[in-house]
């Protein structure tokens, strides 16, 4: 699979950052650094919530910060800072997340319950066996 999306964090509307974000093969990557780099990743099917935050400068420069909440133990929250056209990216991430869940055979409620330490026995109506 090829890269679905790629962007750099921007400062005052200019891509003057050494942080790059991209989606490839069902994984959201964040690469930071110039001489030495760190690469973090979150599998899209593990994403449980996406939200958007914009301050006044973000609105002026047409950008925003996307907050990705996931069930990933090492990266439960990932902030994609100062992303251009953030609303479009947010909609695309939502779509790709749902596609990856379907491909992996997960339903949203399974991802939310995954790694849940509680021993509750919650079921939705479609989980019940009606004889």
């Amino acid at each position: 699979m090829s890269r679905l999306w790629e962007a750099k964090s921007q400062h005052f509307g200019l891509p003057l950052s050494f942080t790059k974000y991209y989606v490839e093969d069902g994984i959201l990557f964040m690469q930071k650094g110039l001489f030495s780099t760190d690469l973090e990743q979150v599998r899209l099917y593990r994403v449980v919530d996406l939200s958007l935050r914009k301050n006044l400068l973000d609105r002026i420069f047409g950008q925003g910060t996307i907050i990705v909440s996931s069930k990933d133990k090492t990266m439960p929250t990932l902030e994609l800072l100062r992303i251009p056209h953030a609303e479009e990216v947010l909609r695309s991430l939502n779509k790709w997340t749902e596609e990856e869940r379907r491909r992996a055979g997960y339903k949203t409620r399974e991802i939310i319950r995954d790694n849940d330490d509680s021993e509750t026995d919650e079921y939705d109506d479609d989980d019940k066996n009606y004889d």
Side-chain angles (χ1 to χ4, degrees), residues 42-49 68-73 76 97-117 124 127:
V42 173
R43 295 192 176 277
L44 288 177
Y45 74 85
R46 297 187 64 77
V47 171
V48 293
D49 188 45
V68 179
S69 300
S70 74
K71 284 295 186 177
D72 188 283
K73 288 184 179 185
T97 298
E98 289 301 319
E99 288 172 3
E100 285 302 311
R101 283 189 193 131
R102 276 193 296 274
R103 188 174 355 178
Y106 284 101
K107 295 179 183 173
T108 303
R109 69 183 183 289
E110 291 173 331
I111 295 298
I112 292 171
R113 280 191 286 191
D114 190 26
N115 295 332
D116 186 9
D117 293 333
D124 291 342
D127 288 337

Side-chain angles (χ1 to χ4, degrees), residues 51-67 79-91:
S51 58
L52 177 63
R53 182 177 60 226
K54 288 180 151 190
N55 60 30
L56 181 60
L57 283 176
D58 288 336
R59 292 174 58 197
I60 290 169
F61 291 106
Q63 60 193 27
T65 296
I66 298 172
I67 298 102
E79 290 191 1
L80 287 71
L81 303 172
R82 296 177 296 278
I83 299 298
H85 311 291
E87 293 92 353
E88 289 176 35
V89 174
L90 184 70
R91 283 191 290 274

Side-chain angles (χ1 to χ4, degrees), residues 4-20:
L4 294 174
W5 169 76
E6 184 174 333
K8 278 190 163 189
S9 184
Q10 295 192 353
H11 296 279
F12 305 110
L14 301 171
L16 302 174
S17 173
F18 298 107
T19 302
K20 180 171 57 171

